[in-house]
């Protein structure tokens, strides 16, 4: 199976099915197939315009993080700096599958979700630089941000503390009988914490409309997967919570999209949770200070060959006849967006310390948002 | 004696304890191959092997709860939190189990939890906190906050020897900034004994951790106007050196309590209340407190600067105090 990571290929050969007894709780840890032809993709709900939008989102995602990296090196970003290089396909794929009223709690490798949901890139740069225009107005830094109006809520550092929160969002939808779905992201490393277990157990018990997305980039800082969990796939655990687990090649944006779409619509229809594990490699250090000396070189080399953006570009040209003109147009549009964004962010002022103590407690007026109506 | 940074002194102290006591094991995230997020345990796994320097999964509960169990079975675990902030994930195991185990069961829990704490470099709300007062409120936990390389090493040895759960707060902003002579040989620094960081009789600043250095710089400024300010470094909060604080208050009659943690419910309140109870008649001015405002630690530099007490803030406070 060309294009699929070795680990996944090995596993594809032996799809394990776990039967938990009752008919509708028959589980299988499924290894997803790679994306196929344009026809197949269209059947999954994407027209050609959508496909080009995905490409644009991938480029914006990487562009934001590459430029952020430069800003950091120029000393314009305080604190630390993280990117999701290698995870762009997984983030954009899931983000694209979300419905307009769905919600989620993306993490530090999931810039693509913010981009797909429509956050203005200048606000991300402003966030990086601690400016007033960032979603947290300088209160928090780096990817610890989100725009709630877009259905996203900002992560905390503590991992995977946003999973119980996403689970609670799904609980609210369930209680109110809304056809909305929550998405909760976590890394394969933080899958080790009780928050992950407790969330999935509650969601399983109540068959909540939630999709858990595991960004498995095979490293938790310097910790390899074999020191993080003793089973083959994190998604194997889904069976223990009474729902379905799927492993998908996270560098295949269309396969991720297909699996996410399927899981989201299943949840929306009352079919309960799904755990999707997106397998990638973290293509840089944990953060900029980390040279990732502990990652074997050949691992980087192997995964560099399946860069999610390159891979998708090749697919678009091969399967969807993306023309030179179309590609140029997208590339230059992205460049323009990012240049403008940087300029606008740089014009955003630093926050005024005088307002620091005002933002701790909410007032009744603060409840006057679309979320609380 | 050799000149060591604060962080080197922590490393030295830990290595020395591991060499002399085979029961001392280190566990935490990325402490082995990587040598710890701040490199405190760099080279330890090569020297002591993977079963004395354990890379754990991302599991604070299992790290602290596991340390407790291993301690009950006779080991001397030193657990590392990657940042002090993440100790919240192990709250239950410290507060519910470790702190109360001896009181209930009579079985001591000799664990040390190392907690890289404090702000000053835009770490934001989750990589900058000083949560010592939350734990000082819990009977059964000891709280250690070294301010100098010499104390960092000596207090770590005492922490490991101590038969109780000890929270060892190491301030990240001191790691590479503070350098001083450290004795080569092994020594222990007693708990509950304050240290005079700089002498003076006109007023006293009671503080700990990174604020010791802030206070000292402020005292330099006051000295230019002829005021001699004592900077008293508590070194440990549980137990804290009440007698030495009261002696200082009686001698100077003017006291500033300073900490980097937020104001309300901060440990400074406990000190101020004790002074009010036991040395009220000796005061020539109200007890002054300088602490961070009651907000999460903000990320953006101008906000963080407004949050963490600065030398200028302390200078201003001390001027008010000496002129009172
Ligand atoms: C509770 C908690 N402990 C420790 C950390 C410090 N830390 C930040 S990221 C990280 C590794 C996370 O690994 P993983 O969950 O695989 O996510 P990745 O960064 O690889 O995307 C660690 C240990 C944290 N953020 N939260
Ligand atoms: Mg990971």
């Amino acid at each position: 199976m060309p294009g699929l990571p070795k680990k996944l290929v090995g596993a594809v050969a032996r799809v394990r099915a776990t039967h938990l007894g009752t008919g509708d709780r028959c589980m299988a840890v499924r290894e997803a197939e790679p994306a196929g032809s344009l026809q197949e993709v269209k059947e999954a709900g994407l027209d050609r315009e959508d496909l080009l939008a995905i490409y644009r989102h991938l480029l914006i995602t990487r562009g934001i993080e590459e430029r952020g990296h430069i800003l950091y090196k120029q000393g314009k970003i305080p604190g630390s700096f993280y990117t999701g290089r290698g995870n762009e396909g997984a983030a954009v794929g899931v983000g694209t599958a979300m419905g307009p009223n769905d919600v989620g709690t993306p993490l530090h490798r999931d810039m693509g979700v913010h981009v797909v949901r429509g956050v203005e890139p200048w606000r991300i740069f402003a966030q990086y630089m601690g400016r007033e225009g960032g979603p947290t107005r300088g209160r928090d830094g780096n990817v610890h941000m989100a725009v709630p109006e877009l259905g996203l809520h900002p992560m905390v550092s503590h991992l995977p503390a946003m999973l119980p929160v996403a689970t609670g969002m799904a609980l609210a939808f369930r209680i109110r009988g809304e056809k909305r779905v929550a998405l909760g992201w976590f890394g394969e490393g933080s899958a080790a914490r009780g928050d992950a277990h407790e969330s999935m157990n509650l969601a399983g018990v109540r068959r909540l409309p939630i999709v858990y997305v595991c960004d498995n980039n095979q490293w938790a800082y310097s910790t390899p997967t074999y020191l993080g969990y003793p089973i083959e796939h994190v998604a194997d655990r889904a069976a223990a919570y009474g729902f379905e687990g799927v492993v998908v090649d996270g560098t295949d944006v269309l396969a991720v999209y297909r699996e996410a779409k399927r899981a989201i619509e299943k949840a929306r229809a009352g079919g309960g949770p799904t755990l999707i594990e997106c397998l990638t490699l973290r293509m840089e250090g944990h953060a900029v200070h980390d040279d990732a000396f502990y990652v074997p070189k050949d691992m980087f080399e192997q995964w560099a060959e399946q860069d999610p953006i390159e891979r998708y570009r090749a697919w678009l040209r091969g399967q969807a006849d993306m023309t030179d003109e179309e590609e140029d147009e997208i590339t230059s549009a992205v460049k323009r967006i990012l240049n403008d964004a940087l300029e606008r962010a740089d014009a955003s002022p630093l926050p005024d310390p005088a307002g620091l103590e005002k933002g701790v407690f909410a007032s009744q007026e603060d409840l006057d948002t679309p979320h609380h109506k | 004696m050799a000149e060591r940074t604060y962080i080197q002194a922590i490393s030295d102290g830990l290595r020395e304890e591991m060499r002399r006591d085979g029961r001392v094991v280190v566990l935490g995230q990325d402490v082995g191959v990587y040598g710890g997020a701040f490199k405190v345990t760099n080279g330890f796994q090569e020297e002591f092997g993977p079963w004395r320097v354990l890379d754990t999964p991302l599991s604070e509960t299992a790290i602290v709860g596991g340390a407790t169990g291993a301690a009950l079975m006779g080991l001397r675990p030193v657990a590392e939190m990657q940042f002090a902030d993440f100790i919240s994930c192990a709250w239950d195991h410290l507060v519910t189990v470790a702190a109360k185990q001896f009181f209930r069961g009579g079985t001591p829990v000799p664990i040390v939890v190392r907690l890289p704490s404090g702000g000053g470099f835009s770490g934001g709300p989750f990589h900058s906190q000083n949560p010592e007062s939350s734990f000082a409120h819990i009977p059964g936990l000891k709280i250690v906050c070294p301010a100098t390389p010499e104390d960092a090493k000596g207090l770590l040895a005492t922490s490991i020897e101590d038969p109780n759960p000890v929270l060892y707060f190491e301030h990240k902003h001191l790691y590479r900034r503070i350098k001083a002579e450290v004795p080569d040989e092994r020594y222990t620094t007693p708990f509950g004994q304050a240290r005079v960081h700089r002498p003076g009789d006109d007023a006293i600043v009671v503080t700990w951790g990174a604020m010791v250095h802030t206070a000292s710089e402020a005292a330099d400024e006051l000295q230019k106007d002829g005021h001699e300010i004592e900077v008293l470094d508590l070194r440990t909060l549980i137990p804290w050196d009440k007698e030495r604080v009261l002696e200082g208050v009686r001698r100077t009659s003017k006291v500033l309590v300073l900490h980097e943690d937020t104001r309300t419910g901060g440990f400074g309140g406990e000190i101020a209340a004790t002074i009010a109870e036991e040395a009220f008649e000796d005061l020539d001015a109200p007890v002054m407190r300088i602490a961070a405002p009651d907000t999460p630690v903000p990320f953006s530099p101008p906000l963080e600067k407004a949050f963490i007490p600065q030398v200028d803030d302390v200078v201003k406070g001390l001027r008010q105090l000496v002129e009172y």
Side-chain angles (χ1 to χ4, degrees):
Chain A
M1 224 174 268
L4 268 182
K6 248 201 203 120
K7 187 173 175 185
L8 206 56
V9 174
V12 167
R14 20 168 231 289
V15 176
R16 278 154 304 164
T18 314
H19 295 274
L20 294 187
T22 63
D24 74 331
R25 291 204 167 190
C26 161
M27 297 306 141
V29 174
R30 193 163 52 76
E31 275 88 3
E33 292 296 319
S37 64
L38 183 61
Q39 189 52 36
E40 264 176 58
V41 169
K42 280 188 169 160
E43 280 161 22
L46 296 171
D47 60 26
R48 200 159 176 286
E49 203 130 298
D50 298 327
L51 292 170
L52 294 179
I54 288 176
Y55 188 54
R56 188 158 42 83
H57 290 146
L58 288 169
L59 291 182
I60 292 176
T61 301
R62 180 164 293 175
I64 286 172
E65 294 189 331
E66 280 179 349
R67 286 173 191 237
H69 201 151
I70 294 168
L71 287 176
Y72 185 83
K73 290 201 163 149
Q74 292 170 336
K76 291 185 178 164
I77 296 180
S80 56
F81 189 70
Y82 301 79
T83 78
R85 198 177 185 93
N87 197 57
E88 297 94 338
V92 169
V94 178
T96 305
M98 289 172 72
N101 295 319
D102 295 342
V103 298
T105 55
L107 298 184
H108 51 304
R109 313 294 181 199
D110 304 316
M111 179 59 68
V113 179
H114 298 277
V115 170
V116 173
R117 298 297 289 186
V119 64
E120 296 168 88
W122 77 271
R123 299 196 68 196
I124 297 171
F125 291 129
Q127 166 80 9
Y128 283 164
M129 296 192 284
R131 304 299 177 88
E132 189 66 36
T136 67
R137 303 174 50 234
R139 271 59 178 168
D140 204 343
N142 57 65
V143 209
H144 296 171
M145 50 129 219
V147 178
E149 292 73 21
L150 302 174
L152 303 179
H153 293 266
M155 65 175 287
V156 297
S157 285
H158 294 49
L159 298 169
M162 296 314 288
L163 281 192
V165 178
T167 306
M169 293 171 179
L171 184 62
F173 301 154
R174 185 72 206 263
I175 290 169
R176 291 197 300 234
E178 293 171 357
K179 298 276 175 226
R180 296 167 74 187
V181 177
L183 285 100
W185 278 263
F186 65 114
E188 90 294 339
S190 65
R193 280 200 56 236
D195 288 32
H197 162 72
E198 296 180 31
S199 301
M200 292 189 215
N201 190 57
L202 172 59
V205 165
R206 293 283 179 171
R207 288 180 81 72
L208 299 181
I210 184 163
V211 178
Y212 295 102
V213 181
C214 177
D215 289 333
N216 188 343
N217 58 15
Q218 305 190 66
W219 295 89
Y221 208 147
S222 74
T223 308
T225 54
Y226 70 89
L227 288 179
Y229 54 91
I231 48 180
E232 185 163 9
H233 296 304
V234 173
D236 288 342
R237 292 189 194 162
Y241 304 118
F243 51 84
E244 188 190 3
V246 186
V247 188
V248 59
D249 178 351
T251 69
D252 183 346
V253 60
L254 293 177
V256 172
Y257 167 81
R258 185 191 59 223
E259 294 307 322
K261 186 81 182 163
R262 197 177 150 275
I264 289 170
E265 295 317 323
K266 175 179 156 183
R268 200 184 311 287
T274 304
L275 167 51
I276 300 177
E277 175 177 353
C278 300
L279 193 60
T280 62
L281 182 66
R282 193 190 69 206
M283 295 304 288
E284 291 175 341
H286 173 64
V288 279
H289 66 271
D290 172 20
D291 65 6
F293 69 87
Y294 46 82
V295 178
K297 273 215 170 55
D298 58 350
M299 199 172 187
F300 276 133
E301 283 160 12
Q302 186 199 333
W303 283 82
E305 283 167 25
Q306 35 182 82
D307 176 75
I309 299 184
E310 268 311 305
R311 209 175 150 180
Y312 185 57
R313 179 177 168 271
W315 186 91
L316 275 179
R317 296 195 65 111
Q319 301 281 334
D321 303 321
M322 177 168 70
T323 63
D324 287 343
E325 292 86 75
E326 281 175 324
E327 195 179 340
D328 287 349
E329 203 183 299
I330 293 173
T331 322
S332 49
V334 168
K335 214 175 261 169
R336 219 171 29 246
I337 290 170
L338 295 178
N339 287 345
D340 293 350
L342 273 175
E343 221 167 278
R344 188 159 174 205
D346 213 18
S348 175
L350 284 162
D352 180 357
L356 179 60
E357 288 178 70
K358 288 190 202 118
V360 180
F361 292 103
S363 65
Q364 286 301 328
E365 294 80 71
D366 292 309
L367 281 173
D368 189 22
T369 73
H371 311 285
H372 296 285
K373 290 215 168 111
Chain B
M1 295 283 249
E3 185 163 89
R4 306 299 275 161
T5 60
Y6 181 89
I7 192 166
Q8 283 168 337
I10 298 170
S11 272
D12 291 351
L14 187 53
R15 195 183 304 105
E16 200 165 313
E17 295 310 302
M18 292 188 74
R19 282 181 184 161
R20 65 187 289 278
D21 185 348
R23 298 171 303 172
V24 179
V25 298
V26 164
L27 69 167
Q29 292 149 20
D30 308 292
V31 296
V33 171
Y34 196 72
F38 296 98
K39 302 290 179 187
V40 167
T41 52
N42 207 14
F44 278 42
Q45 201 172 60
E46 283 91 325
E47 180 171 349
F48 301 108
W51 286 99
R52 286 189 70 200
V53 183
L54 280 93
D55 278 317
T56 66
L58 202 164
S59 302
E60 283 74 11
T61 304
I63 292 168
V64 174
T68 298
L72 287 171
M73 293 298 112
L75 291 180
R76 293 301 184 95
V78 177
E80 175 178 300
M81 294 291 105
Q82 202 154 77
F83 285 82
D85 310 69
F86 300 130
I87 193 62
S88 54
C89 301
W91 170 268
D92 203 27
H93 270 272
L94 275 175
V95 170
T96 308
V97 184
K100 298 172 177 56
Q101 193 68 16
F102 180 69
F103 182 75
R104 297 162 50 249
T107 44
V109 179
I111 64 171
V112 178
V113 184
R114 286 187 34 242
L115 298 155
S117 60
F121 34 84
S122 285
F126 310 109
H127 289 81
S128 310
Q129 295 174 91
N130 294 277
E132 63 265 15
S133 72
S134 303
F135 295 100
H137 185 65
I138 307 298
L141 301 176
K142 294 196 177 178
I143 314 283
V144 176
C145 306
T148 66
E150 183 171 343
D151 284 349
K153 182 174 158 183
L155 287 170
L156 186 60
T158 312
S159 300
I160 293 171
E161 264 183 12
D162 197 278
N164 297 286
V166 177
L167 302 190
Y168 180 94
F169 288 90
E170 44 192 68
H171 199 294
K172 303 190 292 290
H173 207 35
L174 303 180
Y175 271 165
R176 292 174 176 86
R177 187 163 62 103
I178 300 298
K179 244 189 224 166
E181 297 283 310
V182 175
D184 298 321
E185 71 280 5
R186 178 178 191 270
Y187 57 93
T188 56
T189 303
F191 286 0
Q193 265 182 37
R195 177 186 64 90
V196 179
H197 189 75
R198 87 182 263 145
D201 287 326
D202 294 334
I204 174 173
V205 184
V206 178
T207 189
W208 59 90
M211 286 295 118
V212 169
H213 303 279
T214 303
S216 188
E217 278 181 56
D220 287 344
E221 284 303 305
L222 272 278
Q223 196 173 41
K224 290 178 191 161
D225 309 334
H227 302 295
E228 296 297 335
I229 309 294
E230 177 174 301
V231 175
L232 188 67
D233 172 9
L234 284 183
R235 303 201 283 194
T236 64
L237 297 189
I238 304 290
W240 68 284
D241 195 349
K242 190 170 99 177
E243 290 317 316
R244 183 58 184 75
V245 170
L246 293 175
E247 182 279 318
V249 172
R250 290 191 183 109
R251 181 163 37 81
T252 65
S253 305
K254 290 179 173 179
V255 59
L256 165 62
V257 182
L258 168 68
H259 57 69
E260 187 180 310
D261 188 11
T262 50
R263 184 180 177 91
T264 301
F267 198 72
E270 177 62 27
I271 296 168
T274 304
I275 293 168
E277 278 175 340
E278 301 192 29
F280 185 75
E281 305 288 344
D282 298 295
L283 288 170
D284 282 343
V287 176
M288 180 181 276
R289 266 193 299 166
I290 295 181
D294 292 324
T295 76
V297 189
F299 163 79
S300 189
L303 300 183
E304 191 186 33
K305 190 157 174 269
F307 176 88
I308 296 178
Q310 304 291 311
V311 174
D312 285 351
D313 303 323
V314 181
V315 168
K316 217 170 108 198
L318 282 173
R319 288 221 167 102
Q320 261 178 39
L321 201 58
V322 293
E323 281 157 20
Y324 187 88

